[in-house]
Amino acid sequence: MSTTIQQLPSYLEALLQLQQQSPVHRQESWLRGVREDAFTSFCQLGFPTVHDEDWRFTSVAPIAQTTFHLSEIREDETDTVTEDDIAPYRLESLAAQLVFVNGRYESRLSCLPAGHKGLQVSSLAEAMLKEREKIEPHLTRYTDSSKEAFTALNTAFFEDGAFVFIPRGLALQKPIYLLYLNTGSETPRIANPRNLIMAGENSQGTILEDYVSLGVGVSFTNVVTEVVAGEQAVLHHYRIERESTEVFHVSTLSIQQGRSTTVNSHSVLTGGALVRNNIQPVLAGEGGNCLINGLFVGNGRQHLDNYMKVEHRSAHCASHQFYNGILDGESRGVFHGRILVCKGAQQTDSKQTNRNLLLSDTAQMDTKPQLEIFADDVKCTHSATIGQIDEEALFYLRSRGLDEAAAEGLLLFAFASECLERMNPGLIRNYLAKIIMRALPQAKQSEAAL
């Protein structure tokens, strides 16, 4: 708590400045009370410590002890990002691509959708001013700022992000790509993107969030994404975190699922100094299905923490968690998977699996599967493994003519491909396969062998 108290004057000053300068803050009177309550909660909660059960393996002291500044609106800074800079992140056959620079929407680099009646993809700041009736019932409704400090911080300070609305009955065939670019700075900066994704009844869609560094410097990305899936909607959500190892990154994905919905969450984490990946689905309607699938690859002194909390509030729902970790150097990984089956959520089917490979003697993995069951007719299982590369498999590949590095690379990619195989074949899966290949410790050798 003491570190938070030390930083309160700077955060309070930043909030007052934001209220005066940001056009969104000045005009969104309907949200002002929510923001003020969130900031009060943040002041009361303080940053979490290792004494908090959900954070026992992760110290956020580097974040708490750093004075971060909100990114100022500087046209000369955003103008330095060119088409050449984002060329590696352009994909063909997209429904839309929104580009954000240091947390703010950049229209000149974005491609908005065309030809889909009722589909809305825009800056959240713009949508909050123009689509209040659509946004107000949902924005900030599915997160808990009174208990989660980083969510409270985001709610108090967010200025922009993405708004995606897929109308009832629309089956969107092409993905929507949300690209967040961090340009770096000599002064530590914080960005608080907020995304609201709404999938109407009987709709289908695919969303990709991608967090990338273009420059160097200490910074903090604190992002919250709220997903609302209407009855019988099918939504595939992908998140890539590949910022530089000077960046702190905390993300929260809150998912509210209605009756007979299917939501698949896929995460690939390869960057960041300290990363916390929170995924919190709530199966609120009967017959819902949720897949939480992820891969994290750590090296050096990276710290990658994955926290899953799945709430089964209705009967006849299924959730499955599959997370694989690959850790080298002095990196540390965390998997904390929590399944809560509420009273009355009968016929729940829930599975939790965490598999990890340690490639060095100094890499470390903490895994904590957890079940809380308050219903008596359920099927819930969990498992976790921590090991090293299979020596017999390595020997087999070397006996076929591969050197040790190439053989290890192939085995690591096979292990990582377990995550890819749970994704739908196509554009995003192929894109992620290349990102994963480059992130693996033996990337060059294995790619050459393939």
Side-chain angles (χ1 to χ4, degrees), residues 296-315:
F296 53 99
V297 181
N299 207 337
R301 299 182 63 85
Q302 287 180 276
H303 186 105
L304 308 175
D305 183 345
N306 301 276
Y307 176 76
M308 318 290 138
K309 180 183 177 183
V310 182
E311 291 188 53
H312 285 262
R313 294 184 182 175
S314 295

PDB file of all heavy atoms in Angstrom, residues 296-315:
ATOM      1  N   PHE A 296       2.659 -19.094 -23.849  1.00  0.00           N
ATOM      2  CA  PHE A 296       3.571 -18.030 -23.444  1.00  0.00           C
ATOM      3  C   PHE A 296       5.008 -18.523 -23.567  1.00  0.00           C
ATOM      4  O   PHE A 296       5.323 -19.662 -23.217  1.00  0.00           O
ATOM      5  CB  PHE A 296       3.266 -17.513 -22.035  1.00  0.00           C
ATOM      6  CG  PHE A 296       3.194 -18.575 -20.961  1.00  0.00           C
ATOM      7  CD1 PHE A 296       4.267 -18.817 -20.116  1.00  0.00           C
ATOM      8  CD2 PHE A 296       2.028 -19.315 -20.776  1.00  0.00           C
ATOM      9  CE1 PHE A 296       4.189 -19.782 -19.107  1.00  0.00           C
ATOM     10  CE2 PHE A 296       1.948 -20.278 -19.775  1.00  0.00           C
ATOM     11  CZ  PHE A 296       3.030 -20.514 -18.943  1.00  0.00           C
ATOM     12  N   VAL A 297       5.858 -17.656 -24.116  1.00  0.00           N
ATOM     13  CA  VAL A 297       7.256 -17.983 -24.369  1.00  0.00           C
ATOM     14  C   VAL A 297       8.114 -16.925 -23.699  1.00  0.00           C
ATOM     15  O   VAL A 297       8.054 -15.742 -24.063  1.00  0.00           O
ATOM     16  CB  VAL A 297       7.566 -18.038 -25.880  1.00  0.00           C
ATOM     17  CG1 VAL A 297       9.029 -18.416 -26.105  1.00  0.00           C
ATOM     18  CG2 VAL A 297       6.639 -19.022 -26.587  1.00  0.00           C
ATOM     19  N   GLY A 298       8.909 -17.318 -22.714  1.00  0.00           N
ATOM     20  CA  GLY A 298       9.713 -16.376 -21.962  1.00  0.00           C
ATOM     21  C   GLY A 298      11.202 -16.647 -22.085  1.00  0.00           C
ATOM     22  O   GLY A 298      11.634 -17.798 -22.221  1.00  0.00           O
ATOM     23  N   ASN A 299      11.985 -15.572 -22.018  1.00  0.00           N
ATOM     24  CA  ASN A 299      13.439 -15.673 -22.073  1.00  0.00           C
ATOM     25  C   ASN A 299      14.020 -14.554 -21.214  1.00  0.00           C
ATOM     26  O   ASN A 299      13.292 -13.681 -20.726  1.00  0.00           O
ATOM     27  CB  ASN A 299      13.927 -15.562 -23.517  1.00  0.00           C
ATOM     28  CG  ASN A 299      15.252 -16.286 -23.723  1.00  0.00           C
ATOM     29  OD1 ASN A 299      16.019 -16.502 -22.784  1.00  0.00           O
ATOM     30  ND2 ASN A 299      15.529 -16.663 -24.966  1.00  0.00           N
ATOM     31  N   GLY A 300      15.328 -14.554 -21.045  1.00  0.00           N
ATOM     32  CA  GLY A 300      15.956 -13.511 -20.231  1.00  0.00           C
ATOM     33  C   GLY A 300      15.384 -13.494 -18.836  1.00  0.00           C
ATOM     34  O   GLY A 300      15.315 -14.528 -18.165  1.00  0.00           O
ATOM     35  N   ARG A 301      14.906 -12.311 -18.403  1.00  0.00           N
ATOM     36  CA  ARG A 301      14.319 -12.165 -17.073  1.00  0.00           C
ATOM     37  C   ARG A 301      12.826 -11.821 -17.164  1.00  0.00           C
ATOM     38  O   ARG A 301      12.269 -11.186 -16.259  1.00  0.00           O
ATOM     39  CB  ARG A 301      15.062 -11.089 -16.278  1.00  0.00           C
ATOM     40  CG  ARG A 301      16.540 -11.420 -16.057  1.00  0.00           C
ATOM     41  CD  ARG A 301      17.222 -10.345 -15.235  1.00  0.00           C
ATOM     42  NE  ARG A 301      16.655 -10.246 -13.899  1.00  0.00           N
ATOM     43  CZ  ARG A 301      17.011 -10.993 -12.866  1.00  0.00           C
ATOM     44  NH1 ARG A 301      17.950 -11.925 -13.018  1.00  0.00           N
ATOM     45  NH2 ARG A 301      16.455 -10.820 -11.690  1.00  0.00           N
ATOM     46  N   GLN A 302      12.188 -12.225 -18.235  1.00  0.00           N
ATOM     47  CA  GLN A 302      10.765 -11.961 -18.394  1.00  0.00           C
ATOM     48  C   GLN A 302       9.943 -12.664 -17.319  1.00  0.00           C
ATOM     49  O   GLN A 302      10.289 -13.751 -16.845  1.00  0.00           O
ATOM     50  CB  GLN A 302      10.280 -12.447 -19.764  1.00  0.00           C
ATOM     51  CG  GLN A 302      10.721 -11.592 -20.932  1.00  0.00           C
ATOM     52  CD  GLN A 302      10.194 -12.143 -22.242  1.00  0.00           C
ATOM     53  OE1 GLN A 302      10.792 -13.039 -22.832  1.00  0.00           O
ATOM     54  NE2 GLN A 302       9.053 -11.615 -22.689  1.00  0.00           N
ATOM     55  N   HIS A 303       8.835 -12.035 -16.963  1.00  0.00           N
ATOM     56  CA  HIS A 303       7.878 -12.611 -16.005  1.00  0.00           C
ATOM     57  C   HIS A 303       6.504 -12.592 -16.669  1.00  0.00           C
ATOM     58  O   HIS A 303       5.955 -11.525 -16.956  1.00  0.00           O
ATOM     59  CB  HIS A 303       7.861 -11.799 -14.709  1.00  0.00           C
ATOM     60  CG  HIS A 303       7.014 -12.410 -13.629  1.00  0.00           C
ATOM     61  ND1 HIS A 303       7.544 -13.059 -12.529  1.00  0.00           N
ATOM     62  CD2 HIS A 303       5.665 -12.491 -13.492  1.00  0.00           C
ATOM     63  CE1 HIS A 303       6.552 -13.494 -11.756  1.00  0.00           C
ATOM     64  NE2 HIS A 303       5.410 -13.162 -12.328  1.00  0.00           N
ATOM     65  N   LEU A 304       5.942 -13.781 -16.913  1.00  0.00           N
ATOM     66  CA  LEU A 304       4.685 -13.921 -17.641  1.00  0.00           C
ATOM     67  C   LEU A 304       3.673 -14.643 -16.755  1.00  0.00           C
ATOM     68  O   LEU A 304       3.824 -15.828 -16.452  1.00  0.00           O
ATOM     69  CB  LEU A 304       4.906 -14.710 -18.943  1.00  0.00           C
ATOM     70  CG  LEU A 304       6.024 -14.190 -19.856  1.00  0.00           C
ATOM     71  CD1 LEU A 304       6.235 -15.128 -21.039  1.00  0.00           C
ATOM     72  CD2 LEU A 304       5.726 -12.785 -20.342  1.00  0.00           C
ATOM     73  N   ASP A 305       2.654 -13.915 -16.334  1.00  0.00           N
ATOM     74  CA  ASP A 305       1.662 -14.420 -15.379  1.00  0.00           C
ATOM     75  C   ASP A 305       0.309 -14.526 -16.074  1.00  0.00           C
ATOM     76  O   ASP A 305      -0.179 -13.560 -16.667  1.00  0.00           O
ATOM     77  CB  ASP A 305       1.578 -13.456 -14.190  1.00  0.00           C
ATOM     78  CG  ASP A 305       0.629 -13.937 -13.099  1.00  0.00           C
ATOM     79  OD1 ASP A 305      -0.177 -14.853 -13.353  1.00  0.00           O
ATOM     80  OD2 ASP A 305       0.675 -13.379 -11.987  1.00  0.00           O
ATOM     81  N   ASN A 306      -0.299 -15.704 -15.991  1.00  0.00           N
ATOM     82  CA  ASN A 306      -1.605 -15.952 -16.605  1.00  0.00           C
ATOM     83  C   ASN A 306      -2.604 -16.330 -15.518  1.00  0.00           C
ATOM     84  O   ASN A 306      -2.413 -17.312 -14.803  1.00  0.00           O
ATOM     85  CB  ASN A 306      -1.507 -17.088 -17.622  1.00  0.00           C
ATOM     86  CG  ASN A 306      -0.503 -16.786 -18.722  1.00  0.00           C
ATOM     87  OD1 ASN A 306      -0.810 -16.123 -19.691  1.00  0.00           O
ATOM     88  ND2 ASN A 306       0.726 -17.274 -18.549  1.00  0.00           N
ATOM     89  N   TYR A 307      -3.661 -15.520 -15.410  1.00  0.00           N
ATOM     90  CA  TYR A 307      -4.679 -15.754 -14.389  1.00  0.00           C
ATOM     91  C   TYR A 307      -6.033 -15.939 -15.063  1.00  0.00           C
ATOM     92  O   TYR A 307      -6.506 -15.052 -15.777  1.00  0.00           O
ATOM     93  CB  TYR A 307      -4.741 -14.577 -13.408  1.00  0.00           C
ATOM     94  CG  TYR A 307      -5.837 -14.699 -12.380  1.00  0.00           C
ATOM     95  CD1 TYR A 307      -5.703 -15.559 -11.291  1.00  0.00           C
ATOM     96  CD2 TYR A 307      -7.011 -13.960 -12.493  1.00  0.00           C
ATOM     97  CE1 TYR A 307      -6.713 -15.677 -10.346  1.00  0.00           C
ATOM     98  CE2 TYR A 307      -8.022 -14.066 -11.551  1.00  0.00           C
ATOM     99  CZ  TYR A 307      -7.875 -14.932 -10.479  1.00  0.00           C
ATOM    100  OH  TYR A 307      -8.881 -15.048  -9.547  1.00  0.00           O
ATOM    101  N   MET A 308      -6.623 -17.106 -14.845  1.00  0.00           N
ATOM    102  CA  MET A 308      -7.921 -17.420 -15.441  1.00  0.00           C
ATOM    103  C   MET A 308      -8.958 -17.607 -14.337  1.00  0.00           C
ATOM    104  O   MET A 308      -8.728 -18.341 -13.372  1.00  0.00           O
ATOM    105  CB  MET A 308      -7.862 -18.728 -16.248  1.00  0.00           C
ATOM    106  CG  MET A 308      -6.616 -18.896 -17.097  1.00  0.00           C
ATOM    107  SD  MET A 308      -6.593 -17.786 -18.480  1.00  0.00           S
ATOM    108  CE  MET A 308      -4.881 -17.261 -18.474  1.00  0.00           C
ATOM    109  N   LYS A 309     -10.070 -16.939 -14.484  1.00  0.00           N
ATOM    110  CA  LYS A 309     -11.182 -17.138 -13.559  1.00  0.00           C
ATOM    111  C   LYS A 309     -12.448 -17.347 -14.385  1.00  0.00           C
ATOM    112  O   LYS A 309     -12.955 -16.432 -15.016  1.00  0.00           O
ATOM    113  CB  LYS A 309     -11.359 -15.944 -12.629  1.00  0.00           C
ATOM    114  CG  LYS A 309     -12.521 -16.115 -11.648  1.00  0.00           C
ATOM    115  CD  LYS A 309     -12.714 -14.874 -10.785  1.00  0.00           C
ATOM    116  CE  LYS A 309     -13.917 -15.023  -9.849  1.00  0.00           C
ATOM    117  NZ  LYS A 309     -14.134 -13.787  -9.060  1.00  0.00           N
ATOM    118  N   VAL A 310     -12.943 -18.584 -14.365  1.00  0.00           N
ATOM    119  CA  VAL A 310     -14.125 -18.945 -15.151  1.00  0.00           C
ATOM    120  C   VAL A 310     -15.288 -19.148 -14.198  1.00  0.00           C
ATOM    121  O   VAL A 310     -15.221 -19.994 -13.297  1.00  0.00           O
ATOM    122  CB  VAL A 310     -13.885 -20.226 -15.976  1.00  0.00           C
ATOM    123  CG1 VAL A 310     -15.113 -20.550 -16.818  1.00  0.00           C
ATOM    124  CG2 VAL A 310     -12.661 -20.073 -16.860  1.00  0.00           C
ATOM    125  N   GLU A 311     -16.355 -18.377 -14.394  1.00  0.00           N
ATOM    126  CA  GLU A 311     -17.534 -18.491 -13.540  1.00  0.00           C
ATOM    127  C   GLU A 311     -18.660 -19.192 -14.303  1.00  0.00           C
ATOM    128  O   GLU A 311     -19.142 -18.677 -15.306  1.00  0.00           O
ATOM    129  CB  GLU A 311     -18.006 -17.110 -13.089  1.00  0.00           C
ATOM    130  CG  GLU A 311     -17.065 -16.420 -12.133  1.00  0.00           C
ATOM    131  CD  GLU A 311     -17.671 -15.143 -11.571  1.00  0.00           C
ATOM    132  OE1 GLU A 311     -18.803 -15.210 -11.048  1.00  0.00           O
ATOM    133  OE2 GLU A 311     -17.024 -14.092 -11.672  1.00  0.00           O
ATOM    134  N   HIS A 312     -19.059 -20.342 -13.790  1.00  0.00           N
ATOM    135  CA  HIS A 312     -20.224 -21.053 -14.322  1.00  0.00           C
ATOM    136  C   HIS A 312     -21.436 -20.651 -13.478  1.00  0.00           C
ATOM    137  O   HIS A 312     -21.599 -21.110 -12.348  1.00  0.00           O
ATOM    138  CB  HIS A 312     -20.008 -22.567 -14.246  1.00  0.00           C
ATOM    139  CG  HIS A 312     -19.055 -23.096 -15.277  1.00  0.00           C
ATOM    140  ND1 HIS A 312     -19.486 -23.656 -16.451  1.00  0.00           N
ATOM    141  CD2 HIS A 312     -17.705 -23.129 -15.290  1.00  0.00           C
ATOM    142  CE1 HIS A 312     -18.429 -24.026 -17.163  1.00  0.00           C
ATOM    143  NE2 HIS A 312     -17.337 -23.719 -16.482  1.00  0.00           N
ATOM    144  N   ARG A 313     -22.287 -19.799 -14.035  1.00  0.00           N
ATOM    145  CA  ARG A 313     -23.458 -19.336 -13.299  1.00  0.00           C
ATOM    146  C   ARG A 313     -24.742 -20.021 -13.739  1.00  0.00           C
ATOM    147  O   ARG A 313     -25.765 -19.891 -13.062  1.00  0.00           O
ATOM    148  CB  ARG A 313     -23.609 -17.827 -13.466  1.00  0.00           C
ATOM    149  CG  ARG A 313     -22.480 -17.020 -12.831  1.00  0.00           C
ATOM    150  CD  ARG A 313     -22.745 -15.530 -12.939  1.00  0.00           C
ATOM    151  NE  ARG A 313     -21.649 -14.739 -12.384  1.00  0.00           N
ATOM    152  CZ  ARG A 313     -21.579 -13.415 -12.432  1.00  0.00           C
ATOM    153  NH1 ARG A 313     -22.566 -12.730 -13.013  1.00  0.00           N
ATOM    154  NH2 ARG A 313     -20.554 -12.769 -11.916  1.00  0.00           N
ATOM    155  N   SER A 314     -24.679 -20.720 -14.872  1.00  0.00           N
ATOM    156  CA  SER A 314     -25.881 -21.382 -15.392  1.00  0.00           C
ATOM    157  C   SER A 314     -25.588 -22.836 -15.700  1.00  0.00           C
ATOM    158  O   SER A 314     -24.430 -23.255 -15.833  1.00  0.00           O
ATOM    159  CB  SER A 314     -26.388 -20.676 -16.655  1.00  0.00           C
ATOM    160  OG  SER A 314     -26.809 -19.362 -16.353  1.00  0.00           O
ATOM    161  N   ALA A 315     -26.652 -23.608 -15.834  1.00  0.00           N
ATOM    162  CA  ALA A 315     -26.531 -25.047 -16.059  1.00  0.00           C
ATOM    163  C   ALA A 315     -26.159 -25.357 -17.513  1.00  0.00           C
ATOM    164  O   ALA A 315     -26.315 -24.528 -18.408  1.00  0.00           O
ATOM    165  CB  ALA A 315     -27.848 -25.732 -15.693  1.00  0.00           C
TER     166      ALA A 315
END
